[in-house]
Amino acid sequence: MINTVGKAYFGAHERKAMVNVGTRSDSNVGNGSTQVKKNVKVGEKSYQIFPWGMNNKKPNEMMDLLASNSDLINLLEARKDFLFGAGIGVFEQTFDKGTEILTPIETEKYKKLHDFIQKNDLSEFNESAGCHIVDTANLFTNVSIEKDKVPLITAIDPLLCRADKELKLGAVQNYLISGEWASNSQKDIIVTPSLKLDTDLSKQGEYIMHVKRTQTGQFYYSYATWWPVQKAISIANRLWDFHINGLDTQYNAANIVRVASEYFSKFGAEYEGGEDAFREEFWENVDSLLSGEQGSNRMLADECAVGPDGKLTPYIEIVPVERGIKGDEYLKLYEIVMLAISNASSILSNIAGVSNGKVMGGSGSELRVSAEFQQQYRTPRERQMILRVLNRKIKPLLELPNNVVFAYKNIILQTLDVNPTGTQKTTSNAS
């Protein structure tokens, strides 16, 4: 197992019946002059990675954006909880009149399976894999074959992984691991071969299997469902800055200060710095006087001439402006932005607590049905990505019978009169 940060992981585009296309690209990155050319040298060999985003920093930028918005974090954490369910187990698969039945098994029954369970923390792998899929729609898994031939698996942070652009039979051959892709210099890079269909796993070695959500035009990397609303997230963050400033200044000007022009010409002429310096210092002092400790820029300056009738005397007049803490249009904008973010998070609206810009919930039965719908029908594709690693790559190494499978355990909510604990665990095989 590669145990240094950024070293070792799992990727794979398997060989399939296909027309062999020599050059591939991702539609949201581009080709030619629009694409970052990233050549890196590892030892004596040079590699050209395929950039993840126009500047090869897309996932890093999106994780920074995620960390800046607690509302989005909360939504994605809820989605990860549904994806995790009650964890992954090992089951015997049987059928009764076409109905699949999954029965938990004792892992001691199969030695290699027992050794694998003892060696790997499936709960940790499930949590890490689900986190990476929800955050980035990509799962990179390091498969390490050691002397005992019992595989060790680790979900690798996608921010560390980039694909070698060179293809063979239409498949990525290597993945490059580094913790410095966000910088302009990579000094510590590990090249790890991708785990393909024809990879010989009888030998010791490190491999990376890359599983991602299928998206048209995205060959090297997928993008998460919430990434396209990055502008909405940025707007939501800016609204907080607006209201912080508004609380300091009470959002608008508090006074109109009218001053006769003759005031400056009369008294400014005797000022050491002249009339202009006198005028500037005058307005600064007035603003400071009226603002106090609550901020600045709460005054409208109105320098006037004296009329023919000689009015506007004395020289200075202060007129209060009716004001209050407002900004309703910004609050409405925030509601719209939150609805967009909620929709992009792939969480049902009443579970997310947002619908048409309003906070909502529902009765207990409504929430129960929504939670079960979310778990049963909005997680299978992502669970399949994780189970693909276990059932298609790990299971053959453990020499398990065909009817022994890894599968998810669900949590089904029940009323207390049916089940005193309020929950029941079921299984689902999304392999």
Side-chain angles (χ1 to χ4, degrees), residues 104-142:
I105 67 171
E106 296 292 335
T107 59
E108 291 83 355
K109 184 177 179 180
Y110 304 98
K111 183 181 184 307
K112 286 192 175 182
L113 172 62
H114 179 70
D115 293 342
F116 174 76
I117 297 297
Q118 294 296 313
K119 192 173 187 178
N120 294 272
D121 187 340
L122 281 185
S123 179
E124 180 182 359
F125 174 75
N126 182 28
E127 181 177 4
S128 298
C131 174
H132 299 161
I133 290 172
V134 172
D135 287 345
T136 73
N138 292 265
L139 170 59
F140 296 88
T141 306
N142 173 208

Side-chain angles (χ1 to χ4, degrees), residues 11 21 146 158 162 209 211 231 282 310 399:
V21 180
E146 300 178 325
R162 297 296 187 271
M209 181 177 181
V211 181
K231 291 183 179 179
F282 171 83
E399 301 176 356

Side-chain angles (χ1 to χ4, degrees), residues 38 55 61 63 94 103 128 148 155 162 176 217 219 226 245 249 261 292 304 310 312 342 362 403 427:
K38 196 71 173 179
N55 59 359
E61 293 170 347
M63 290 303 100
T94 58
T103 306
S128 298
D148 58 6
R162 297 296 187 271
L176 284 74
F219 177 74
W226 61 271
N245 182 65
T249 64
S261 298
C304 312
L312 194 57
S342 175
N403 67 332
T427 58

Side-chain angles (χ1 to χ4, degrees), residues 133-429:
I133 290 172
V134 172
D135 287 345
T136 73
N138 292 265
L139 170 59
F140 296 88
T141 306
N142 173 208
V143 176
S144 179
I145 307 299
E146 300 178 325
K147 289 183 179 180
D148 58 6
K149 301 301 175 65
V150 176
L152 181 62
I153 60 174
T154 307
I156 302 307
D157 192 326
L159 272 62
L160 306 176
C161 305
R162 297 296 187 271
D164 179 10
K165 191 174 182 179
E166 181 182 356
L167 305 179
K168 184 177 181 181
L169 296 176
V172 174
Q173 298 299 297
N174 297 292
Y175 288 89
L176 284 74
I177 313 302
S178 174
E180 302 175 320
W181 296 122
S183 67
N184 294 322
S185 174
Q186 286 78 42
K187 298 179 180 179
D188 181 18
I189 299 177
I190 300 297
V191 179
T192 309
S194 65
L195 182 56
K196 300 179 289 297
L197 192 63
D198 58 354
T199 299
D200 182 6
L201 294 180
S202 64
K203 302 177 181 179
Q204 289 181 236
E206 303 288 342
Y207 306 92
I208 286 188
M209 181 177 181
H210 180 200
V211 181
K212 63 185 182 65
R213 295 198 69 161
T214 300
Q215 293 168 339
T216 302
Q218 297 300 118
F219 177 74
Y220 288 95
Y221 317 101
S222 295
Y223 53 85
T225 57
W226 61 271
W227 285 15
V229 294
Q230 55 183 303
K231 291 183 179 179
I233 301 168
S234 298
I235 291 174
N237 293 341
R238 291 185 63 184
L239 291 177
W240 289 116
D241 294 333
F242 165 80
H243 288 293
I244 289 174
N245 182 65
L247 291 174
D248 289 337
T249 64
Q250 294 196 11
Y251 292 93
N252 50 27
N255 299 282
I256 297 176
V257 179
R258 294 194 176 100
V259 180
S261 298
E262 284 80 354
Y263 175 82
F264 296 106
S265 60
K266 178 178 180 179
F267 296 101
E270 303 174 0
Y271 191 70
E272 181 179 354
E275 182 178 332
D276 291 339
F278 176 77
R279 176 183 284 104
E280 182 178 354
E281 184 174 347
F282 171 83
W283 288 122
E284 289 178 354
N285 290 336
V286 171
D287 187 31
S288 176
L289 175 66
L290 295 177
S291 298
E293 297 179 355
Q294 298 180 350
S296 59
N297 299 319
R298 295 175 56 215
M299 170 195 72
L300 296 178
D302 184 13
E303 184 176 327
C304 312
V306 177
D309 57 357
K311 289 185 177 180
L312 194 57
T313 55
Y315 287 109
I316 301 172
E317 178 184 12
I318 299 177
V319 181
V321 176
E322 183 179 353
R323 58 191 170 83
I325 297 179
K326 298 185 183 298
D328 291 343
E329 65 278 12
Y330 291 95
L331 296 176
K332 292 178 181 178
L333 176 59
Y334 182 75
E335 292 176 347
I336 295 173
V337 166
M338 281 308 304
L339 180 59
I341 294 175
S342 175
N343 289 336
S345 72
S346 298
I347 290 287
L348 295 175
S349 60
N350 58 336
I351 300 177
V354 179
S355 179
N356 296 325
K358 303 297 182 182
V359 176
M360 65 171 292
S363 66
S365 59
E366 290 174 338
L367 291 175
R368 183 174 68 251
V369 170
S370 296
E372 292 178 1
F373 182 91
Q374 180 78 36
Q375 185 174 216
Q376 295 284 354
Y377 299 103
R378 306 204 70 169
T379 62
R381 288 180 63 194
E382 293 167 336
R383 288 181 174 184
Q384 184 184 53
M385 293 170 64
I386 299 173
L387 292 177
R388 192 183 306 167
V389 176
L390 297 170
N391 285 326
R392 297 188 63 182
K393 296 301 180 185
I394 302 305
K395 177 182 167 181
L397 295 176
L398 304 181
E399 301 176 356
L400 296 174
N402 290 335
N403 67 332
V404 174
V405 296
F406 293 90
Y408 269 89
K409 296 175 283 186
N410 290 319
I411 300 174
I412 302 299
L413 301 178
Q414 294 182 323
T415 56
L416 296 179
D417 60 328
V418 176
N419 189 328
T421 66
T423 63
Q424 176 186 358
K425 293 182 179 180
T426 65
T427 58
S428 65
N429 179 25

